[in-house]
Amino acid sequence: MGGAFLAAAVLARIGRRIGLPTIPLFILAGILLGPHTPGLVLVADPHDLEMLSLLGLVLLLFYLGLEFHVDDLRNGGRAMALAGGAYLALNVGAGLAFGFALGWGTSEALVLAGVLGISSSAIVTKVLVDTGRLGGPEAKPILGIIVVEDIFLALYLAALQPVISGADSFGAAALDAGKAFGFLLLLAAAARWGTRVVDRLIATRDNELLVISFLGAAVLVAGVSEWFGVADAIGAFMVGLMLGGTSSGDRIRELVHPLRDAFGAIFFFAFGLSINPGDLPSVLVPVLIAVTLTVVMNVLAGLVAARIHRFGPRPAAGIATSLLARGEFALILATMAAAAGLDERLSPFIAGYVLILAVLGPLAAGRAELLARVLPGGRRAAEAADAADAAEEAAPEPAGATRPGR
């Protein structure tokens, strides 16, 4: 386990030097040091890290719940809902059609709809910070789309769980879905109206007691959620939603950071352990088609979101490229698919797809102006911007003024 942490850290350091996100590098570390790759094998059996990996998954979604605010929906308004709905309709719809076109099965197609349809909140947030777009006009629609995706994800996973678990009949599937949605509604009601009670229960000045309390709550509710047919990660998300609104919310966000990073790295590393590189060539063509499809749908979604917010081609390109990466949610779906015994090609497909887009997304976001030039009206906008810059440079200086640097 120590070797796993250190290997992930070394690759992550290398990745940061060349501007790559850490998620694909953690997966790569698991692939290179796992039982399916010749050479040094740190972990011979991926199940040895199963509990730590699940804890990483729970903490990732718990932290996302802490960062989520219902007020974001109210402030975003109609434009945010339209942009988020359009993004999901284009990407999830394309993913579902692609899944059926592959012919791997209905349950597999539903999984692929989520894999191709939902972007990585972790990578998108990092891209916004690294490219300096948090203060740009496209930041609000991007964050709004992420919020809509998070809500959709909770409902989608709750509905998907009984379907891919192979319920015996429509009645059994409906009963399982009813139990899942009922428990999800109970958690949502607790998050909406039970914050004051939870605040009194968890409030303490002792950081040690606070860590033990929120970690125990997240893991316990995650386990109970799974028993009711709701994905354990969504249970942890709802606990984060509850605790994020308490008076201890800011301290919890600070205290959970190192836990999330450490065990999240093990989650991605353990996923890499389960991937056999020899299986990747068999899914290379579908992966490349899916990547191309995702790029096209993201560009269309970026144009639609920009039109809704009355933006030009540059913000449209920023929206399209910033939301391109896929990451933790795709891996959550891969874990669920493997547990349900679905087609064995799903895991290598998702691994290859996530690896390519997790690298391509940040690289494309850093060069969004190239995409902006080929979008409708982009060349004219770029020429106008260049002309404005040239005019500013050529403008005579006021008497007594000096240029910077003189």
Side-chain angles (χ1 to χ4, degrees):
M1 186 173 64
F5 275 115
L6 290 176
V10 169
L11 280 180
R13 285 174 178 267
I14 295 173
R16 290 202 171 186
R17 288 183 178 273
I18 57 178
L20 293 179
T22 56
I23 290 175
L25 295 169
F26 292 152
I27 299 173
L28 181 62
I31 293 174
L32 294 177
L33 300 172
H36 305 294
T37 304
L40 177 63
V41 177
L42 282 180
V43 183
D45 186 358
H47 293 291
D48 289 344
L49 295 180
E50 185 173 7
M51 184 58 69
L52 293 178
S53 172
L54 289 174
L55 183 57
L57 175 60
V58 164
L59 288 172
L60 282 170
L61 270 292
F62 173 72
Y63 181 79
L64 188 62
L66 288 171
E67 292 292 331
F68 182 86
H69 298 286
V70 178
D71 291 340
D72 292 340
L73 288 177
R74 300 172 183 172
N75 297 334
R78 180 171 174 269
M80 186 189 74
L82 288 175
Y87 186 90
L88 287 174
L90 287 169
N91 285 274
V92 175
L96 185 63
F98 173 78
F100 281 119
L102 282 180
W104 291 356
T106 300
S107 296
E108 287 77 2
L110 292 172
V111 171
L112 289 172
V115 170
L116 271 67
I118 301 174
S119 56
S120 167
S121 297
I123 298 179
V124 170
T125 303
K126 188 175 187 302
V127 164
L128 288 175
V129 173
D130 292 348
T131 58
R133 289 193 182 133
L134 278 176
E138 65 266 41
K140 186 175 180 179
I142 290 172
L143 294 175
I145 289 172
I146 290 176
V147 169
V148 174
E149 280 185 331
D150 292 343
I151 296 173
F152 171 80
L153 179 71
L155 299 174
Y156 171 74
L157 288 182
L160 184 65
Q161 184 78 10
V163 174
I164 68 174
S165 62
D168 296 332
S169 64
F170 176 78
L175 179 61
D176 289 343
K179 286 170 53 182
F181 277 116
F183 186 70
L184 190 61
L185 288 175
L186 179 63
L187 290 177
R192 175 65 179 84
W193 292 289
T195 303
R196 290 185 179 180
V197 176
V198 174
D199 194 358
R200 292 176 183 175
L201 292 174
I202 202 168
T204 176
R205 295 182 179 181
D206 190 312
N207 284 344
E208 179 184 11
L209 294 179
L210 186 59
V211 169
I212 295 171
S213 299
F214 74 68
L215 187 60
V219 174
L220 177 62
V221 174
V224 175
S225 298
E226 191 172 30
W227 188 79
F228 274 98
V230 177
D232 48 7
I234 296 304
F237 173 84
M238 298 305 293
V239 174
L241 192 63
M242 290 182 224
L243 299 183
T246 65
S247 60
S248 303
D250 291 338
R251 287 172 58 210
I252 293 174
R253 290 185 193 94
E254 182 179 350
L255 292 170
V256 78
H257 252 286
L259 294 171
R260 180 207 64 179
D261 292 342
F263 291 101
I266 291 297
F267 169 71
F268 297 121
F269 181 88
F271 182 79
L273 290 175
S274 65
I275 299 301
N276 187 346
D279 294 336
L280 295 178
S282 65
V283 294
L284 181 60
V285 173
V287 165
L288 295 178
I289 294 174
V291 168
T292 303
L293 182 63
T294 300
V295 171
V296 172
M297 289 299 106
N298 265 56
V299 172
L300 291 176
L303 289 171
V304 171
R307 177 66 63 87
I308 291 172
H309 287 84
R310 299 180 181 180
F311 291 156
R314 284 192 175 185
I319 295 170
T321 55
S322 296
L323 291 166
L324 184 60
R326 302 296 188 263
E328 62 272 16
F329 295 142
L331 301 184
I332 291 169
L333 292 171
T335 303
M336 292 174 59
L342 299 187
D343 196 300
E344 294 180 354
R345 291 172 289 187
L346 274 176
S347 288
F349 170 87
I350 294 173
Y353 175 77
V354 169
L355 280 171
I356 292 176
L357 284 181
V359 173
L360 179 62
L363 294 177
R367 295 162 179 80
E369 68 278 356
L370 300 178
L371 174 61
R373 288 180 176 271
V374 301
L375 293 178
R379 187 173 295 276
R380 291 195 301 273
E383 291 174 353
D386 293 340
D389 292 340
E392 184 178 351
E393 287 289 332
E397 299 176 8
T402 58
R403 289 185 181 273
R406 290 186 179 180

